[in-house]
Amino acid sequence: MPLLRPTRSPNSACRFEQGCDGPLRQTARMSASSDSAAPLLVACLCAAWCRTCGDYRVTFDSLAAEFRLQARFVWIDIEDDADALGEVDVVDFPTLMLSRGDSIGFFGPVLPHAQTARQLLQRALQGQLAQVKDASLAGLPQRIGALR
């Protein structure tokens, strides 16, 4: 199986292309009905000291209001909520996690623009995101979901 590497483009937060020796990060699709009883969880992992995060908070809150009937939104401070993150190392901000139950459909940094996150949310709600397979993220949706 070919290995994939993350790349960025202006129109997508993160996509995966063939060609490097990094780990395989995305595989099967996370369907809109995955863990169908579970709502879509949208978590923004940021830091209080990050000015970009401070600016993004308004955008995130606006998206939370826009999608309030379709998803649950939580703002996570990586220092205040470090225990819930466990060994997950967040190095780029803002970082979003979109999950449904145990299934993570996206985990990674996004451009701090409303339209970028909006498109990602719409794809998640339509079941168009690939399921992230990364052992270091195991249990993260449950730990974050338990915070709020």
Side-chain angles (χ1 to χ4, degrees):
M1 178 177 278
L3 294 174
L4 306 177
R5 67 184 159 127
T7 62
R8 307 249 166 146
S9 73
N11 296 326
S12 68
C14 186
R15 66 174 186 216
F16 291 80
E17 295 180 348
Q18 295 180 2
C20 79
D21 27 40
L24 181 65
R25 299 286 302 229
Q26 293 190 338
T27 56
R29 293 235 177 246
M30 183 182 89
S31 73
S33 60
S34 296
D35 295 316
S36 59
L40 180 66
L41 175 64
V42 181
C44 185
L45 287 69
C46 277
W49 49 261
C50 174
R51 290 176 38 197
T52 300
C53 290
D55 294 342
Y56 190 67
R57 181 68 190 251
V58 174
T59 300
F60 187 77
D61 289 346
S62 174
L63 290 166
E66 181 180 342
F67 289 93
R68 70 185 172 282
L69 299 177
Q70 296 127 316
R72 179 174 167 232
F73 288 72
V74 293
W75 184 268
I76 304 296
D77 185 293
I78 64 164
E79 293 173 343
D80 293 345
D81 300 314
D83 290 341
L85 295 179
E87 298 298 315
V88 175
D89 189 23
V90 179
V91 295
D92 293 313
F93 301 102
T95 290
L96 290 183
M97 180 187 75
L98 281 69
S99 65
R100 194 179 295 275
D102 292 339
S103 180
I104 298 174
F106 180 85
F107 183 88
V110 295
L111 296 172
H113 307 292
Q115 190 57 32
T116 301
R118 184 177 291 111
Q119 289 173 352
L120 189 59
L121 284 163
Q122 290 168 339
R123 290 182 60 213
L125 290 167
Q126 295 168 3
Q128 297 176 347
L129 295 181
Q131 185 175 354
V132 175
K133 295 289 188 181
D134 185 331
S136 71
L137 301 176
L140 185 61
Q142 294 76 20
R143 294 191 307 271
I144 286 179
L147 290 175
R148 314 270 185 298

